[in-house]
Amino acid sequence: MTQQDLRGLGDFLLEQVTPIVRDATFVQPEVEGIEGKAELQRPQDAASMLQAACTVIRCVLKDKSPVTPSFQHILVSLHDVLIDIANARHSTLADEISQACETWWLQGRPDKEQVAPVTLFFLLVRALDTNSRAIDITRLCAMREALTVIDFQHPSTNRLKNLLLKCYIHPNVLHNKAGIKFLVYLFQVYLPMVDALHQTMKAQMRTCTKHIVNIYGEIYFRAWRAAQGPFRLRIESSVQDLMDTGMKAANNKVVSLIQKVLTHFYEKKMSNGVDETLCRLYEPIIWRYLHAANAKVRRNAALFFFDAFPLMDSEAPQRIVDEAMQRQFSQIKELLKDPSDGVRCIAVLGTCTALASYWELIPTATTQYLLNYIISDLAHDKSSPSVRAAVFHGLEKLLAQYLSFEVLKVLLPSLQPLIHDSSDRVRQSFVQLLTGVKGLSDIKFYEIVPLPHLLHRLAVDSPTTTVKITALLASVYVPYHKPTVSLLRRCLLMLHENFKAAVVFYKQIHEHVPVFTVCKLAVALLLHLKQCLHSFSQKQEEKKNSKEKEEEKRKEKEKEKGTDVSKLEEVQGADDETQLTGEGLVALLEVTKYLFQRALPLCTKENADLRKKLLKFFTVETLIALSRDVPDRQVKGAMMPHILGIMSALPQHAISAKVLLTKLRMMSEDTPEIEYDSVLRCLFNWKFQVEVLRMIAEVFDTREDAMTASPSPPKKQKSKRGKKVQDESVPKSKPKPVVEHNRPFCLRLFNFILCDEELRHAAFQAAEAMIPVAKSLISYTELVQQRIVTEDEISGTPDNLLLSFLTTYCKLLIHQLGVCPEQDAQGVLSLLQWGLMVILPKASAQETSRTKGKPGSHKHREKRVHAMKAFVQCAGELVFVVGADVVSLGLAGEKIRNIVGDMIRHIVQRNHDLVPSLLSPISRIIYHWFHIGGDLTEVALKTLMDVVKDLPEDDLPTFSVNDILVLHAARNTLPIVSEPFLDLAMAQLDEVLPECLKAAVEEGAHDYSTEDTGRLCALMEDFDELLPQSSYIMQLTMKSELFFVSIAQQLKTRMQTDYAVVLWKSLNLISVMLCNASSCTQDVAAIQDCLLGVVSKHQATTGSKATKWAGRNQRRTEQQLLHPHCTGTRQKKIF
């Protein structure tokens, strides 16, 4: 197309576009009655015409051919209405116009400044949209130089400046490379705006993520590097502000985030000018803050100092550089000796980091001094475990500098005693250092700490530390590339040195070596154990034969020479040797058990063959044979739990399960926990929990009590000759073993199942088997009720056993409710109703009725009454604690909550003996209701006030509501509690109301008619002058600062009245608060504000006696604020 054609086309389009733009036809509705232009007056047709014109302009610009003035006028017109077009929902048209303007700007066409401002605004809005794309941000970045044509001093640009500031908090912009480039450029656009950009990023640093903070650091550095002249100085001022803020910050998170921002400057210290800039920016502030009186400020300054170390201008003369370095070395020495342990920790870590990075730069004498002081003094700092731990963390960083190995090889062995440090944190840090040393060829970790010391720590240390020690020693004792014989030899060596350490080590070794090595070692230990047991049996037999021979020789010598041989020493020595060998065998079996238990789950489908080979060696028959080979009963008893532990991981074995069930039945109450623990786990893993629970239910069944009693002997008849003969009519029966009905043991067994998470989960899976157990336990609640009602002891079931059964039943109900809340809530509800209707009324009785039967002595009756009282109280406590636990766990419905509330009121009002032990659960219940909030807030508040009103005077001070106050303080809802508390305190003052005010109350007057105001001015000063509840509330007020302020605000509101009674009560409470403020270290500013406000109000009011009297009392109360001796006999200083 020729230039003439383009000129004609441009003129035509200009003629069509100009009226559309002028009249904004693209957003107007259709207008009727105008002839010849009906089509163009429709918004759709107008937009189509504009889009056609824009398309022509874009095609012309694409060819980079010269354009006529008509096209320029068209584009400028479209640019001016770009925002209106976008608002009219012509997004495609607006986008094309924007692209045409961008092309015009980027090609440097004439008068390009005329198409930049609105285009830039449009692109900013697009980029800040939540659904913005990366291309939108890229287009914005391409137009960044258009910002230079905008006059930011004009008020019309305020909206644009706000959009530019929003770019620094928009995630889409921050996570885009072009967006970061655009943000960097903004620092060079308008000088006064640099401070606003800095404040925007600084404000975001408190809440944003570390990644965003890292982006901010990149923006600061790139902006500083690109800026020149005043812009660079302003950016440096912003960076210095960050440094100053970080050193003075009280929040460690803010300090670390600012450190991360400045990291970009530290990492580029080798760049031109960075060193000099950091030195110049830090110079006026860091040295002052390093010597600040506040330890927190010194700590923060030390962090920034070591991050920026060394601070020097590399282009300065050598003399100045040396002086600067010497000043910094002296400062490091001062920081290492700082009185604050936090500063010393930072100094140790920073010093070691500096030595690791600049070993060659620091003089040898300085390096030697610093390391000697750190290892010789700070490593043994008795005042702070943190400093001792920091020494090891610092030395671990120093290992990165290979030039330090020669020095560390000499110094590190002196730290050996610290492997037994009293602080677990220090020991863990030491082991971590040894792990770092382990990877070095120049230093051996066992030369720093010998292996016996490490094994000792492995045997006795905490699990966290033992995990680290195991990782350290894994390659030493289990080198998986070595043959099996080597692994076995090393394992036996560790068992010989410290078998407790060996058990802990091999219990965790599966995390550090391949599963194949674990299986291989487990099989090798099992085979070796068989050989050991065989040789152990032979030695035992030989010792037995030798003892018999020696005994015969000794007897012959005794006959000839007397008893000169010490028999006791010989026997004791032999026993010690046997016991030592037995302990080694038990430890070897325990190691084998842990290896097998850890290896079997690791054998997944991928290595199923390995699992088959492992189970080929570990069989039930092999383990049973293993237990038979042990001749010593004591050693066999110690080995059985570990054998059963291995068997529990094997597939189910019915015959062995029956044997174990029989063994479980024969156990007694004195059986150690480790024995029935292993039996239970084995049976439960073999899915025999139903049989175990059935056995427990049979033993619990109270109908079998008669079987447990020893049968009375049959009567013997006399024959005619006078001889006694047995009545043959009585059939002979085999009595059941008493152990089958050993209820205390089965009770202990069932409690163990409930307390162990794994066993409890397996037991509740057998829900049908739990039903008989629950029914049997319910029958014991009937016995408890029988004991309470009849006051007679249950035959064959002592009180402590009954209470134990009740405790177990309570535990069972709670666990059942946790498993199935909807179905099992009825059991808890019935128990609580039983406690409310039966136990608590009996506990509240003043005297117990006399027991039936023959009257005993007075002392005997007192003993029975005391036992009965203790029994009822314990039962009441158990039942109430169930309700408290159910509520605290969030398992209580509305019915349970109502019953618990009734129980609380019953206990507080009638069961004063139960109050001391149940105050803590009551407080926990009220706190939980407050925590849930909603409708329960009113219930909790009513319960709380009932408790405070009805508690006995002796128990009231021990009722703690601190958690409740903290909860409401965090929610800003303290008036919910403070207002009813203050109402109660003021209501109790009615009992000590002066006669003149009582008359006013009776007459219903707000004023009083007597002239004598002397008694009214005698205000209370001590807690003891108040009634118990009021005294409790005031003491609670003085202990909590936020509650104190809330009460003061409530008093200020109440004292706005002219009612003399309210004023008198308020002033008395204020007087008590002020007179005890110094002992409680409370700030009385809130009370002072309260008094000043009320005094100013009453000074403006004149005429009434109540007003004059209130002024006198308030002036006297104000004097208590200002004069410590205003209270007469009480010489107490308020401030």
Side-chain angles (χ1 to χ4, degrees), residues 69-137:
S70 302
F71 286 115
Q72 181 178 350
H73 292 317
I74 294 173
L75 187 59
V76 171
S77 301
L78 294 177
H79 165 267
D80 294 339
V81 296
L82 176 59
I83 300 301
D84 296 331
I85 293 174
N87 292 335
R89 299 181 181 179
H90 300 300
S91 56
T92 304
L93 174 59
D95 187 58
E96 290 190 5
I97 295 173
S98 171
Q99 292 182 20
C101 293
E102 293 172 44
T103 306
W104 190 282
W105 171 269
L106 295 175
Q107 289 183 0
R109 297 281 181 170
D111 298 328
K112 64 178 182 179
E113 295 83 3
Q114 297 181 5
V115 297
V118 180
T119 305
L120 192 62
F121 187 87
F122 174 78
L123 292 175
L124 271 172
V125 175
R126 288 279 296 268
L128 294 176
D129 188 74
T130 54
N131 298 322
S132 63
R133 301 171 298 170
I135 187 63
D136 298 325
I137 301 171

Side-chain angles (χ1 to χ4, degrees), residues 765-797:
Q765 284 183 339
E768 296 181 357
M770 291 292 287
I771 296 176
V773 179
K775 290 182 178 179
S776 300
L777 290 173
I778 291 175
S779 65
Y780 281 92
T781 61
E782 299 173 359
L783 292 180
V784 173
Q785 182 170 346
Q786 178 183 343
R787 171 76 173 96
I788 293 174
V789 174
T790 63
E791 300 183 4
D792 291 332
E793 294 185 359
I794 305 300
S795 176
T797 308

Side-chain angles (χ1 to χ4, degrees), residues 205-206 213 242-263 266 282 296-305 307 346:
M205 289 180 193
R206 299 179 182 273
V213 171
L242 285 179
M243 296 173 178
D244 186 78
T245 302
M247 294 183 200
K248 294 187 296 187
N251 190 345
N252 290 336
K253 181 181 178 181
V254 175
V255 178
S256 62
L257 292 177
I258 293 178
Q259 280 184 279
K260 196 168 186 65
V261 171
L262 298 176
T263 300
Y266 304 145
Y282 272 119
K296 181 71 174 177
V297 174
R298 296 199 306 275
R299 176 189 176 276
N300 296 343
L303 283 171
F304 286 91
F305 171 72
D307 285 345
I346 299 300

Side-chain angles (χ1 to χ4, degrees), residues 39-50:
E39 295 295 329
L40 289 178
Q41 287 175 349
R42 290 190 304 170
Q44 296 84 356
D45 292 343
S48 299
M49 175 57 70
L50 296 180

